[in-house]
Amino acid sequence: MLFNSWTFVAFFAALMAVYLPLGRWAGYQAQNRLLLVASYVFYAGWDWRFCFLLAAISLVDWFCGNAIAATEQANRRRLFLGISIIFDIGVLVYFKYCNFFIQGSADLLDLMGVPVSWPLLNIILPVGISFIVFKSLSYTIDVYRGEVSPEHNLLDYALFVAFFPDLVAGPIIRAKTVLAQLHTPRRITETMVTEGVWLILFGYFLKVVVADNLAPIANNAFSMPQPESWLHALVGVYAFAFQILGDFAGYSGIAIGVARLMGFVLPPNFGHPYLQTSPQAFWRHWHISLSTWLRDYVYIAFGGSRGGTWKTSRNLMATMVLGGLWHGAAWTFLLWGFYHGILLVLHRWLAQPLSALVRLPPALGHLLAVLLMFHLTCLGWLLFRAESLAQVGGFLRALGLATPVGTAAALGPSIITLLMLASATLLADLLLRAPDGTLRPLQLSSSARWASAACLAFAIPVFGDFGVSHFIYFQF
């Protein structure tokens, strides 16, 4: 069930028509049961068979979390944590990486002069499986660390895992954020309704107006092994950079807004990622829930910044490579993670010496740093979007090709569309959210706030189209 479909709009309207009065009549526990049923109905819209997998993940991690908390014996605690990790990662590896490892092993043997032909498995990837596994796995790790109390109610834990707003594409919420909210009555204030409506409208604007209108431009460039010229390559990469921002930040905004209307507060998942000046700052503003998950459960587990420069660099590289692999079973994703690891390491090594060597006026230095970081990010998006390493090479070669007059003229409408939508995205993002995360529209007068909302509501159906495309991160 797509957020950007009338089916979801009808589903959510029907749910709220029951959910709101149910809280007054029967209390928050009855609302929890309704949300659990609704979340499984939502997930069954993709493939009902995977509801059993969702239930199995919930049951195993709920049991392991309680078993960890029930004993003080270190060996038993590690045993149940290991069961949770092995089960969750095993599910992820089987569904997402099994064929990748089979094909990779066959290719390696072929390079060693031992040609083999192993059949690939016919595996259907459950939508959002990476998000589901990371969400549930974080719970057992937090219980093991003593950072969250175990959830004794299986149905409430199942709702935490299956909570439909963030189920298939994040944010990756933590147990400490949501479980406490499941145990208290919903207080849906006027401010929460206003925030929810704004987040939903802006999310739809980013998805159906920005991302879906830039998708044909990016898809055109990436449909060929090598673009015709440097201009064609750059337009395609820039278009994808703003397409994926609109697509993913749009989904996160809708998810957070829908949860807000139901009385839940989820953490933000995006800041202003393309206005940052360093790799560290970029990852503090892009897919925040994933970057903090990798920091808390991978980077720190590897040793973090303890042990000196080389060990810190090793830990950063390993974390980012695993982060790239989390996105997909392809060499391009591994290379994308490796690339961002290199950026993080080089910045730690070189930022201070370079700042001492290069003296620029603060405003100019900030602008140049933003432009440099944006283009380094775009190079990463080339690795992320390319179908193969050969296509990455084709795009890089295209940067050295002249642009014929006819090609430049043909790209004119695409360039105008890209400039308009990229500018609208950056401007709207700055107008919507302050650097501290607060929503700027709440600071406007009531008439100005609702007039702005009406403009967004008008633009969405006029310049966008519901239900025409999936969200990019559904494949992860």
Side-chain angles (χ1 to χ4, degrees):
M1 192 182 300
L2 293 169
F3 275 178
N4 56 324
S5 69
W6 293 112
T7 302
F8 174 77
V9 172
F11 163 83
F12 185 61
L15 173 62
M16 291 298 287
V18 180
Y19 177 79
L20 294 177
L22 186 63
R24 294 191 293 268
W25 297 338
Y28 68 90
Q29 291 179 333
Q31 288 179 310
N32 289 352
R33 303 300 169 260
L34 174 64
L35 284 179
L36 178 60
V37 173
S39 296
Y40 271 79
V41 170
F42 177 84
Y43 199 60
W46 305 102
D47 191 326
W48 63 268
R49 295 171 296 178
F50 290 127
C51 288
F52 295 103
L53 178 64
L54 186 62
I57 293 172
S58 302
L59 180 61
V60 169
D61 288 338
W62 172 81
F63 172 80
C64 288
N66 279 277
I68 290 169
T71 180
E72 295 183 358
Q73 297 180 27
N75 289 339
R76 288 182 61 83
R77 288 168 59 83
R78 285 194 293 268
L79 170 65
F80 288 113
L81 176 63
I83 291 172
S84 174
I85 292 174
I86 291 171
F87 180 81
D88 289 341
I89 299 302
V91 167
L92 194 60
V93 168
Y94 173 76
F95 282 102
K96 195 165 185 177
Y97 304 108
C98 194
N99 283 330
F100 176 69
F101 291 141
I102 292 173
Q103 186 62 56
S105 299
D107 292 342
L108 179 61
L109 288 173
D110 187 54
L111 289 175
M112 297 171 60
V114 185
V116 295
S117 179
W118 290 335
L120 299 180
L121 303 179
N122 185 23
I123 300 175
I124 300 174
L125 181 67
V127 65
I129 187 61
S130 297
F131 291 93
I132 295 167
V133 165
F134 270 27
K135 181 204 292 190
S136 192
L137 183 57
S138 70
Y139 163 77
T140 51
I141 297 175
D142 284 348
V143 171
Y144 179 82
R145 292 176 173 177
E147 296 178 2
V148 67
S149 300
E151 174 55 59
H152 298 296
N153 189 306
L154 174 58
L155 295 181
D156 282 346
Y157 183 77
L159 173 56
F160 157 69
V161 176
F163 190 53
F164 76 86
D166 68 278
L167 178 60
V168 296
I172 306 172
I173 58 175
R174 310 281 184 90
K176 66 184 73 174
T177 300
V178 173
L179 284 178
Q181 298 183 59
L182 293 177
H183 298 156
T184 57
R186 311 290 121 80
R187 306 291 186 187
I188 306 174
T189 65
E190 181 181 353
T191 298
M192 293 183 74
V193 172
T194 303
E195 290 175 343
V197 169
W198 264 99
L199 288 166
I200 291 169
L201 284 176
F202 188 59
Y204 277 128
F205 172 80
L206 287 176
K207 169 58 180 173
V208 303
V209 176
V210 175
D212 288 353
N213 281 301
L214 289 176
I217 300 174
N219 292 343
N220 175 264
F222 283 94
S223 66
M224 55 190 72
Q226 178 173 312
E228 300 172 353
S229 66
W230 67 268
L231 183 60
H232 195 190
L234 286 181
V235 168
V237 172
Y238 289 154
F240 180 71
F242 284 95
Q243 178 200 354
I244 194 170
L245 173 61
D247 193 281
F248 195 18
Y251 184 95
S252 294
I254 298 168
I256 296 169
V258 165
R260 197 72 54 93
L261 291 182
M262 295 189 296
F264 295 92
V265 178
L266 304 185
N269 207 27
F270 285 86
H272 304 142
Y274 291 163
L275 300 178
Q276 304 310 312
T277 58
S278 70
Q280 284 88 342
F282 171 80
W283 282 105
R284 287 196 295 266
H285 292 81
W286 177 274
H287 202 347
I288 299 168
S289 61
L290 175 64
S291 59
T292 54
W293 200 102
L294 291 172
R295 179 198 66 198
D296 294 343
Y297 301 111
V298 180
Y299 176 67
I300 291 177
F302 284 158
S305 57
R306 302 186 302 273
T309 301
W310 286 104
K311 288 186 178 180
T312 299
S313 301
R314 178 203 64 190
N315 298 338
L316 279 172
M317 289 298 304
T319 300
M320 295 311 297
V321 168
L322 289 175
L325 187 63
W326 177 88
H327 282 82
W331 293 111
T332 50
F333 289 123
L334 277 174
L335 186 58
W336 177 75
F338 182 84
Y339 169 77
H340 273 282
I342 289 292
L343 291 184
L344 289 167
V345 169
L346 289 179
H347 184 264
R348 289 182 68 93
W349 288 356
L350 302 177
Q352 191 170 356
L354 287 178
S355 64
L357 290 174
V358 181
R359 300 290 186 179
L360 294 172
L364 177 60
H366 183 84
L367 175 62
L368 292 177
V370 168
L371 289 173
L372 174 61
M373 188 61 222
F374 173 71
H375 284 87
L376 290 173
T377 303
C378 285
L379 178 56
W381 289 136
L382 168 60
L383 304 174
F384 189 97
R385 176 61 177 83
E387 298 293 336
S388 64
L389 297 179
Q391 190 177 47
V392 173
F395 267 75
L396 295 177
R397 286 191 297 272
L399 294 177
L401 299 178
T403 302
V405 175
T407 300
L411 288 173
S414 295
I415 295 173
I416 293 172
T417 300
L418 172 59
L419 290 174
M420 290 176 59
L421 292 177
S423 301
T425 301
L426 294 175
L427 179 61
D429 193 28
L430 287 171
L431 292 176
L432 178 73
R433 193 181 297 278
D436 62 0
T438 58
L439 295 177
R440 294 187 192 274
L442 298 181
Q443 303 167 2
L444 301 175
S445 66
S446 178
S447 57
R449 185 164 61 241
W450 291 110
S452 302
C455 291
L456 276 179
F458 172 79
I460 290 166
V462 171
F463 299 107
D465 192 5
F466 265 41
V468 298
S469 65
H470 286 70
F471 289 85
I472 293 173
Y473 266 68
F474 278 13
Q475 63 185 301
F476 307 134

